[in-house]
Amino acid sequence: MVKPNVTDITVASISVEQILELGESYRAQELRGMQSKLTSTAKELQQLTGGNGLLGRIGGQLNREQQQLLRDAASLIQSINYQVEHAKEKRQRTEKQAKARREERERQAKRLVADAYPLPITKPEHRAEIIRLALVLNRAGEFFPFYSDIELNQKLRAFVAEAQTTTNRHRDTLEARLTSKTSYFRTEIIFSLEKHIAYDDGTTVQARFDALQHKLAELGPQVLDTQLAAGTVRLWMNALSQAEKQEGQA
């Protein structure tokens, strides 16, 4: 868009910075939509003062002062549109920078989590470790935070009891059901860890990872040494052992 050559009364008195401040929550795409509306409005006003269609014929019936008011209004809208265009471009640059920063943090988080938490599930002890980690992460607020530690323990115990007593009524074996649940937990744990570590609070991804590792190291004994958690883990280990024996006899 070419900057309009207008008189002082038709020059917008609002700056790009003011537009960005007023439209703090607006994305560049939304500002682009606003720009299109302003362009359309300015063109319609111009048609009233010199168009060949119906709008031009209507505008031709206005007196000179009224026609000048329309020209000034069109020029003012063009001036506002010019500022909106530059605000949009500035917002686009900001969004691109934010996207690049977010994607880089996500890449770093994925790498750190993959290295520190491979979380295999091929063996019973692997699956039991996932249950332990789930309990600790829950206390840290990073895994199913909508459940209290008591509620999560109850649900884990209820799942084992239900799986052991109803397996015969399903095609899935006990092994398959326990593996499916721990596989689901594994996916959720990795997602939660990556999301937490990648969150941009102004610190580095490595700093957030180190802080979380320190927190989990402190919480581990506090959670797993309780009678509640120890009982839950023991139930799962017994069920996993039972499932392994059933698979061996099949």
Side-chain angles (χ1 to χ4, degrees), residues 81-186:
N81 203 12
Y82 177 79
Q83 298 295 76
V84 170
E85 179 185 24
H86 284 272
K88 174 203 68 179
E89 293 171 350
K90 193 168 185 178
R91 182 59 50 81
Q92 280 179 328
R93 291 193 294 271
T94 301
E95 289 175 351
K96 287 181 180 179
Q97 292 169 355
K99 181 181 179 182
R101 177 181 173 86
R102 181 176 64 255
E103 290 177 346
E104 176 58 27
R105 291 182 69 91
E106 289 173 352
R107 281 193 292 270
Q108 293 178 25
K110 285 181 179 295
R111 176 178 54 79
L112 288 169
V113 171
D115 290 344
Y117 297 94
L119 301 183
I121 60 171
T122 55
K123 298 179 180 180
E125 54 265 33
H126 294 158
R127 297 167 211 153
E129 185 58 31
I130 287 176
I131 298 303
R132 294 188 187 94
L133 182 57
L135 291 170
V136 177
L137 285 170
N138 171 258
R139 176 71 66 85
E142 302 300 334
F143 179 77
F144 292 178
F146 39 84
Y147 291 140
S148 68
D149 55 348
I150 294 177
E151 290 172 330
L152 182 59
N153 275 277
Q154 290 174 339
K155 288 184 175 297
L156 288 171
R157 293 183 179 205
F159 176 83
V160 168
E162 192 271 341
Q164 288 176 316
T165 57
T166 64
T167 296
N168 292 335
R169 298 204 300 269
H170 297 272
R171 291 185 179 180
D172 289 342
T173 63
L174 178 60
E175 169 79 7
R177 300 190 71 186
L178 295 177
T179 299
S180 176
K181 177 63 75 172
T182 50
S183 179
Y184 167 66
F185 281 178
R186 178 185 185 276

Side-chain angles (χ1 to χ4, degrees), residues 19-20 29 65 80 119-120 131 141 155 163 166-167 205 222 245:
I19 292 174
L20 289 172
Q29 184 177 1
E65 289 78 10
I80 294 172
L119 301 183
I131 298 303
K155 288 184 175 297
T166 64
T167 296
V205 174
Q222 297 177 25
K245 289 178 181 179

